[in-house]
Amino acid sequence: MKKISTIVLGLLLLASSVFTSCESVKNTSNQQRGVAIGAVGGAVLGGILGNNIGKGGNGALGAVLGGVIGGVAGGVIGTKMDKQAREIQTALPGAQVERVGEGIRLVLGENAVRFDTNKSTLTSAAKNNLDKLIPVFKQYPDTNIQIYGYTDSTGSAEYNLNLSNQRAAAVQVYLAGKGLKDARFQTTGLGIADPIATNDTPEGRTQNRRVEFAITANDKMVQDAQKEAGK
């Protein structure tokens, strides 16, 4: 992380010198220059974050969460995501909540969203935990929610890919049935890909049977943030 910070700082300083010396921007306000410089740094940082998430075994989420708006608008979105992340953690303490760029990575392990063996039907425990998240999702309607389903490595890759698709879809159907707009969701089954633990032990396989969410700003949130940044 220190290395990342050093790289970004250097790029920000370079961007600052370019913007402040360029004749075409000498008449712009400090805020306008800050937004431009921030956008450069944000784009670079987003690429680094996305790349690092991909290296960590979560390439699909990295592609979604790696891109950032940057600048003042990005800061506005980030503040809202900070608050939402805290509320998710409060609502469901067992979940793994991680702020990435201007989005949120939410990992629900088997203890949070449990499926019976070889089935995609949500158990009563899974429904109970999802119910805890619904009020937070409703409080922040201007977000898109990408749902990723995963399995352990038991069975064929083809079978697990299909099962993971069904599990991700089951979560979407349940959340939509509780009043969340279906258009907010996209689902992806990744099967045995991107394990977060070893598949050589029962404990590791339990961790790999999970559902992950990538929560990002929708177009309305981005537009509202840009308007707020322009004030």
Side-chain angles (χ1 to χ4, degrees):
M1 181 58 69
K2 183 177 180 181
K3 181 178 180 181
I4 292 174
S5 300
T6 302
I7 294 171
V8 173
L9 178 59
L11 289 167
L12 287 175
L13 290 173
L14 176 61
S16 177
S17 65
V18 171
F19 278 111
T20 54
S21 63
C22 182
E23 185 67 30
S24 63
V25 297
K26 283 184 178 180
N27 294 325
T28 60
S29 66
N30 288 334
Q31 183 187 43
Q32 289 170 324
R33 288 194 293 270
V35 170
I37 294 169
V40 173
V44 174
L45 180 58
I48 294 173
L49 287 170
N51 186 50
N52 283 349
I53 295 171
K55 289 180 179 178
N58 294 281
L61 270 82
V64 173
L65 295 173
V68 295
I69 304 302
V72 177
V76 172
I77 293 172
T79 298
K80 293 180 180 179
M81 291 295 184
D82 286 341
K83 184 179 179 182
Q84 183 176 181
R86 289 193 297 268
E87 293 179 9
I88 290 173
Q89 190 70 76
T90 299
L92 196 59
Q96 178 185 337
V97 185
E98 181 182 358
R99 281 279 287 105
V100 181
E102 289 155 11
I104 300 171
R105 177 191 177 209
L106 172 59
V107 182
L108 301 183
E110 190 169 273
N111 290 333
V113 176
R114 187 182 298 273
F115 296 92
D116 291 329
T117 303
N118 294 328
K119 292 186 178 180
S120 59
T121 304
L122 291 169
T123 65
S124 58
K127 293 177 181 178
N128 182 57
N129 285 316
L130 288 173
D131 286 342
K132 297 175 183 178
L133 292 174
I134 289 170
V136 183
F137 288 160
K138 286 185 176 180
Q139 187 177 345
Y140 297 90
D142 296 335
T143 55
N144 293 324
I145 303 173
Q146 178 85 40
I147 305 171
Y148 297 93
Y150 295 91
T151 68
D152 61 33
S153 62
T154 304
S156 71
E158 182 180 0
Y159 174 83
N160 281 308
L161 182 61
N162 184 53
L163 181 60
S164 66
N165 271 304
Q166 293 174 0
R167 288 177 171 175
V171 173
Q172 177 189 7
V173 169
Y174 184 79
L175 293 175
K178 292 292 183 175
L180 295 174
K181 291 185 178 180
D182 197 60
R184 294 177 64 183
F185 298 99
Q186 288 187 351
T187 62
T188 303
L190 293 175
I192 64 176
D194 302 335
I196 58 175
T198 179
N199 277 303
D200 295 332
T201 65
E203 295 78 11
R205 290 193 292 273
T206 293
Q207 293 181 54
N208 290 330
R209 294 192 296 268
R210 69 195 190 280
V211 175
E212 297 194 14
F213 295 86
I215 303 172
T216 56
N218 67 8
D219 291 340
K220 183 178 183 301
M221 181 182 282
V222 173
Q223 292 169 4
D224 289 346
Q226 290 172 338
K227 290 178 181 178
E228 186 173 340
K231 291 182 180 179

